Amino acid sequence: MPLFLKKLVSFEDFNGNFNNIGQVHKTLACFNLGNETPLWKHWGFAYNNPNSDHAEQIILQELYTFLGLDQSNISLKYKLNLYTSYSPCFSCCKDLCSFLDTYKNQVSMHLKIAKLYKFYDSNNQRGLQMLRENGADITIMDLEDYKECFYLFVSPTDTFQPCPDLNHYSYGNARDMDLLWNEDESRSKITIHKSEICHCKGSSGGNESSSVFAATEFSTPESKKDNNEARKITPEKLHIAHGCKGHKGVKRKLSF
DNA sequence: ATTTTCAAT
Ligand SMILES: [Zn+2]
């Protein structure tokens, strides 16, 4: 397992996974678990296991093992900081929700994300929305977060040097995430309003309220038919591929 | 506003 406990991340791996704006085909996730005392109770990092486990799964497994022993100490309040080079996929979001549910009122989760993973996939978007609704604090890493992550997990003595345009990309990702949160909030009212009449499935029409409800119910896993036209955030490239010349892309589609 | 990405060649 590519899990490293109480060890620092190398400069090379930090730069290769966090401090870059390229397309990286692996994920690095760093975590620390603390409480009132200044010293971390547990910390480390993990890479994904190629073609097998996502980095979040590996860290969650470690946390279940670690916290399982502490189950008796109800009064303890843990704070989990999780830095991930990619945002969690839909499946990992569900796993993170389960973790929060398992340690309800015992562990708070603070997720700091470098880049959005396959954000065009509406399932991944819904996963992040669900995770947030389940109490996780989710943000895109800004320059200060990169600096902090570097300080905590790479070197407390060296100076973090952001790669060119890192701040610019971070800002763009943060904007995408804000749009997702805004979409989430405006739709949550619909979900509540329609919650009583959404039990009847099968009635097609694929209206938005039923799909929202399905998401809330965790009842739509990786359905391969991802041709969901209700998707709100779509890369401009997709529009171009479909022969649509819309330049506003995300912004336009989310204006409601 | 940068986009196909926890690969697959
Ligand atoms: Zn995942």
Side-chain angles (χ1 to χ4, degrees), chain A residues 54 56 88-89 91-92:
Chain A
H54 283 187
E56 302 92 319
C89 68
S91 174
C92 286

Side-chain angles (χ1 to χ4, degrees), chain A residues 157-172:
Chain A
T157 53
D158 291 284
T159 305
F160 169 63
Q161 299 281 2
C163 74
D165 281 338
L166 186 68
N167 193 39
H168 179 243
Y169 274 64
S170 164
Y171 191 81

Side-chain angles (χ1 to χ4, degrees), chain A residues 21-64:
Chain A
I21 58 171
Q23 293 154 18
V24 182
H25 294 281
K26 55 193 162 72
T27 296
L28 173 59
C30 308
F31 77 96
N32 67 62
L33 188 70
N35 53 18
E36 295 82 4
T37 64
L39 253 48
W40 292 339
K41 292 300 172 189
H42 202 31
W43 61 284
F45 62 93
Y47 301 95
N48 62 295
N49 210 3
N51 293 311
S52 174
D53 308 296
H54 283 187
E56 302 92 319
Q57 294 178 272
I58 293 166
I59 286 179
L60 280 180
Q61 189 181 349
E62 174 59 29
L63 289 171
Y64 277 121

